[in-house]
Amino acid sequence: MFAAAQLLAPPRHVVLGHNARPLLFAFGTILAFLLLNIEIADFFSSPGSVALTFQFSGNFARDMSYSIAWAIFALLLLIIGIRQKLKPVRYASLVLLGVTILKLFLHDLSQLEQLYRIAAFIIVAIIAMLASFLYQRFLGISPKQAQ
């Protein structure tokens, strides 16, 4: 999808009267996210099993792998959105980061012991500070714009 979007550079980007590049980039991102989840499910599947199952309970390592992978994917989307100056990509990254934090607080932390819970809070705080720093540094209002 990403290669097709790159190959459809202007003036070939119009298909049936619409710009096809944003749609191809969106589908490519969705497919990359699905592939990430499929790889995690495959890694934690039983050896020799022919079926993939997506489970979000019962295995702490698998649950945390999903959360960490989603947070990293969201940060990569945020960096791409900032560098390419694409608001929808930045908003999608913030939504995914929010969903990841909700999953972490509502599901993953219930299975943790006290020491690991503290470490998880510290990691979430670092990720949130990094995302807010990136947003403020590259998209914040400069003093000249505020006047």
Side-chain angles (χ1 to χ4, degrees):
M1 293 293 177
F2 295 123
Q6 290 297 329
L7 291 174
L8 286 177
R12 294 172 282 166
H13 67 289
V14 177
V15 176
L16 299 174
H18 298 295
N19 187 358
R21 294 184 78 200
L23 187 64
L24 289 171
F25 280 125
F27 282 148
T29 303
I30 292 168
L31 287 175
F33 185 70
L34 288 175
L35 179 64
L36 176 72
N37 289 302
I38 288 170
E39 289 297 326
I40 292 171
D42 183 46
F43 182 79
F44 286 102
S45 65
S46 302
S49 110
V50 294
L52 275 180
T53 56
F54 293 98
Q55 297 175 350
F56 292 102
S57 62
N59 188 340
F60 175 70
R62 180 182 53 225
D63 292 344
M64 290 307 291
S65 294
Y66 281 118
S67 297
I68 291 168
W70 291 2
I72 292 170
F73 194 86
L75 283 175
L76 287 174
L77 278 179
L78 182 64
I79 290 168
I80 290 169
I82 289 172
R83 292 194 71 192
Q84 300 293 324
K85 295 180 175 64
L86 299 170
K87 280 186 183 181
V89 175
R90 291 193 311 260
Y91 294 150
S93 72
L94 293 176
V95 168
L96 180 59
L97 191 58
V99 168
T100 303
I101 290 172
L102 282 175
K103 178 189 176 295
L104 183 70
F105 281 125
L106 299 177
H107 177 70
D108 297 340
L109 289 180
S110 65
Q111 302 174 12
L112 291 177
E113 295 177 13
Q114 192 68 24
L115 182 63
Y116 295 116
R117 203 174 281 170
I118 293 168
F121 278 124
I122 291 171
I123 291 169
V124 167
I126 289 170
I127 290 172
M129 286 190 307
L130 180 62
S132 65
F133 171 75
L134 288 171
Y135 226 85
Q136 184 65 29
R137 172 77 170 96
F138 296 106
L139 297 172
I141 298 174
S142 67
K144 291 180 181 179
Q145 290 176 345
Q147 295 175 357

